[in-house]
Amino acid sequence: MRLLWVLAILLAHTAKAEPAGIEIDSAVQQTFDRYELPGIAVGIIRDGEIAYTRTLGELQAGSGEKIDNDTLFKIASNSKAMTAGVLARLVDAGKLKWDDPVTKYLPQFRMHDPWVTQQMQVRDLLIHNSGLGLGAGDLMLWPEPNRFTRDDIIAGLQHLKPTHSFRATYAYDNLLYVVAGEVAAAAGGAPYEELVKRELFQPLGLSRCQVGEWNRAEVGNVAQPHMRTPLGNRVIREDDEVVPNVTSMAAGGIRCSLDDMLTWMRMWLSPDATPAWLSPAQRKAVWTAHMPMPVSARMRAWDNSHFSAYGYGWRLSDVDGAWKVAHTGTLAGMYSSVILLPDQRTGIVILINGEGEAARTVLGQVLTKQFTAPQSTPTVAYYAELLDRERAGERAAKPKADTRHRTIASPRALAAWTGHYRDPWFGDVSLCPQGDRVRFVAARSPMLAGTMMRVDERWLVDWDDDSVDAEPWLHFAAAKASGDAGLTLSHVDPDADFSYDYADLDFHRTQACR
């Protein structure tokens, strides 16, 4: 009887520990259907083993090519943890220190303030404490493709004015991860993409992950990004035959499959499985709370969270009393999420090749609750409705301007302001007549091209490519010093993605149109 009693307890414990497969299947399917996704891949690691995988949808909507565990997705900002991992490996190898000055490896590195330039350490590149505003300079990275190089990023930083004191405030940035990748290259003696292969992909067996330049046909099975239209999901920014080594690689350019991401999570959750890959000291450093982050109202209401902070490439928080290490990734038409619950040795990964911000949030929440609050029964519909109400409130508080009555601005109406303009970090744009209209064209960001429109007494750019989904207002002024024209930009939609950092631009006219 005693043996039967012990067995019963063990079986009950096992049943509670394992994820409810049918419930998770239902949640994934409901998310896929509710948000009309072109494709999704979901996986769960539990106690070092793959506990669940599910894939739905297509590489390209309507193609018939099904997504599977080997399909490559853009993991976007989940690349940051991989960049941090490369640096941690170099620290273990004695090739750099976290508190080394950045200028030790990149003498040309400059921030706007010379003192900050001198004080900026390698660790500061990873924790969003630079004093730059949210997404400062991101127009040098996105939309892709563009003509900015990593050298351009390093040169442009000195022209970006801080919005806060150094190390005083958290504000998410991407440019400094590009710098971190170049620091790794200088310290490691190889280009960033080669270091990632050498230090991560090869020793960890991430056989499908891609970094740097690669051939789409040779690699195969590559999900394409989509945007949702009234006619359904449509591919945007489709990969060419050769996928380039984009400037943003260290901040958000790596691609991986579901199986690769499961392997990546297993390494972090079960360090004994790969003890030689990273020392305990560096594992601790990566997951240490280096920069406090605000605890949002949603985190308090949904997760009963009490702290939030940034480590090296990871966000740290608590959910229902459980420690959470996580990150998200967002690019046009591609969304990812990695959620680790280290004390429970549980990891969740979500990869989406469509407009999936809400889907990622809702499904990530439902799956996390399976492990942090198994006694509760949250559903996709429940969290979707909470999110809808939250966003409706935000839209009411910050309404988007009504621009439906826009008209094409004539060259005559804009005659006082046409010309060629220059911003010290973004470079040149032209604002010149073409026939019966005026065109805005950025020299180094070809997707930022569009037609000038008039809305009452205001001006905006209607971008040619509708995947560039953040229109700017244009504000002209006579420059006080030279008497010539100045130009600044701002968002038409106050909820536009922060990477369209129009507020950081300060153009001055350099010459007339020819």
Side-chain angles (χ1 to χ4, degrees):
M1 289 294 294
R2 179 177 176 82
L3 178 60
L4 290 173
W5 178 73
V6 171
L7 286 172
I9 291 176
L10 288 173
L11 287 170
H13 174 75
T14 301
K16 182 181 286 188
E18 292 304 314
I22 295 175
E23 293 179 15
I24 291 176
D25 259 350
S26 177
V28 173
Q29 186 70 56
Q30 289 172 31
T31 303
F32 180 77
D33 293 340
R34 185 183 186 105
Y35 293 103
E36 300 176 349
L37 301 175
I40 189 171
V42 179
I44 298 173
I45 287 283
R46 188 85 161 131
D47 294 324
E49 301 295 333
I50 297 175
Y52 176 87
T53 65
R54 181 84 187 275
T55 61
L56 293 165
E58 299 172 311
L59 306 181
Q60 294 183 235
S63 70
E65 297 177 281
K66 299 298 184 182
I67 287 171
D68 60 30
N69 286 28
D70 287 328
T71 298
L72 287 183
F73 289 81
K74 297 179 181 180
I75 64 170
S77 283
N78 273 299
S79 304
K80 289 180 169 67
M82 294 189 174
T83 298
V86 168
L87 287 165
R89 289 265 292 178
L90 294 176
V91 173
D92 266 345
K95 295 184 178 181
L96 64 76
K97 297 178 181 177
W98 292 118
D99 57 1
D100 281 342
V102 175
T103 53
K104 177 178 177 179
Y105 304 97
L106 303 174
Q108 73 275 31
F109 173 78
R110 298 285 186 276
M111 296 295 286
H112 191 267
D113 186 313
W115 184 86
V116 175
T117 299
Q118 182 184 40
Q119 297 298 316
M120 183 80 75
Q121 299 175 356
V122 173
R123 62 187 297 275
D124 293 309
L125 299 174
L126 305 182
I127 58 178
H128 311 296
N129 69 350
S130 67
L132 293 175
L134 180 65
D138 275 2
L139 286 172
M140 288 190 280
L141 300 179
W142 298 290
E144 292 171 337
N146 62 48
R147 302 186 183 106
F148 289 96
T149 67
R150 292 168 195 169
D151 286 341
D152 291 332
I153 302 297
I154 295 171
L157 277 165
Q158 63 189 300
H159 301 295
L160 290 166
K161 297 178 182 178
T163 58
H164 303 88
S165 298
F166 181 41
R167 295 181 181 150
T169 301
Y170 170 87
Y172 192 83
D173 76 75
N174 289 293
L175 296 192
L176 293 179
Y177 266 83
V178 175
V179 177
E182 295 307 283
V183 166
Y192 169 80
E193 55 273 14
E194 295 305 317
L195 286 178
V196 174
K197 294 174 185 177
R198 184 183 84 193
E199 303 294 336
L200 269 70
F201 294 176
Q202 291 169 8
L204 296 177
L206 305 181
S207 59
R208 287 283 295 162
C209 285
Q210 299 295 320
V211 65
E213 182 181 293
W214 47 281
N215 186 285
R216 176 181 173 183
E218 290 176 2
V219 171
N221 198 359
V222 184
Q224 296 301 302
H226 294 73
M227 69 180 295
R228 193 176 299 114
T229 74
L231 298 177
N233 286 298
R234 175 173 66 82
V235 172
I236 58 172
R237 307 181 192 183
E238 183 175 358
D239 290 320
D240 293 329
E241 180 182 353
V242 176
V243 178
N245 182 12
V246 293
T247 300
S248 63
M249 192 65 65
I254 294 173
R255 304 199 203 190
C256 289
S257 69
L258 177 61
D259 279 350
D260 285 328
M261 295 304 291
L262 291 166
T263 300
W264 173 244
M265 294 195 304
R266 182 192 291 117
M267 182 277 298
W268 287 106
L269 293 167
S270 304
D272 293 343
T274 52
W277 187 76
L278 199 62
S279 69
Q282 293 315 311
R283 288 179 181 272
K284 181 179 179 181
V286 168
W287 283 1
T288 292
H290 295 287
M291 185 65 200
M293 295 172 59
V295 177
S296 68
R298 184 196 298 171
M299 292 172 68
R300 289 288 295 159
W302 290 17
D303 295 333
N304 192 30
S305 297
H306 296 82
F307 92 98
S308 180
Y310 208 89
Y312 294 154
W314 295 94
R315 297 186 182 107
L316 315 171
S317 62
D318 63 310
V319 179
D320 303 317
W323 182 28
K324 176 182 173 184
V325 180
H327 214 287
T328 55
T330 302
L331 287 170
M334 283 276 183
Y335 288 78
S336 69
S337 180
V338 174
I339 301 166
L340 305 180
L341 304 170
D343 292 340
Q344 300 182 18
R345 298 184 69 202
T346 295
I348 301 163
V349 61
I350 301 169
L351 304 170
I352 298 171
N353 66 330
E355 291 189 52
E357 182 175 9
R360 174 184 66 189
T361 298
V362 168
L363 183 58
Q365 189 69 19
V366 170
L367 298 185
T368 299
K369 290 293 183 180
Q370 291 279 330
F371 303 99
T372 64
Q375 71 284 356
S376 64
T377 56
T379 64
V380 167
Y382 172 76
Y383 282 115
E385 289 163 9
L386 285 181
L387 190 60
D388 287 346
R389 288 200 294 270
E390 177 186 306
R391 292 183 171 178
E394 291 171 351
R395 286 192 295 270
K398 296 188 297 181
K400 179 181 177 180
D402 184 355
T403 65
R404 289 173 296 177
H405 56 294
R406 66 182 66 187
T407 57
I408 294 174
S410 69
R412 181 177 180 181
L414 276 168
W417 307 114
T418 56
H420 296 272
Y421 289 77
R422 177 171 296 159
D423 174 86
W425 62 267
F426 185 71
D428 297 325
V429 302
S430 62
L431 199 64
C432 292
Q434 290 187 19
D436 64 348
R437 61 199 61 201
V438 176
R439 297 278 296 163
F440 181 108
V441 179
R444 289 194 286 180
S445 189
M447 292 191 72
L448 294 183
T451 298
M452 290 292 299
M453 309 296 289
R454 186 168 190 162
V455 181
D456 298 326
E457 299 305 312
R458 306 183 75 179
W459 315 99
L460 65 78
V461 183
D462 186 346
W463 300 121
D464 296 339
D465 191 316
D466 58 7
S467 73
V468 182
D469 56 358
E471 293 178 329
W473 294 117
L474 272 65
H475 311 279
F476 298 101
K480 293 180 180 178
S482 65
D484 208 338
L487 169 63
T488 57
L489 280 65
S490 64
H491 289 125
V492 172
D493 183 353
D495 287 328
D497 190 296
F498 64 76
S499 284
Y500 292 100
D501 58 315
Y502 299 141
D504 292 314
L505 296 168
D506 187 12
F507 290 103
H508 296 277
R509 188 160 55 186
T510 57
Q511 60 181 342
C513 296
R514 296 178 181 177

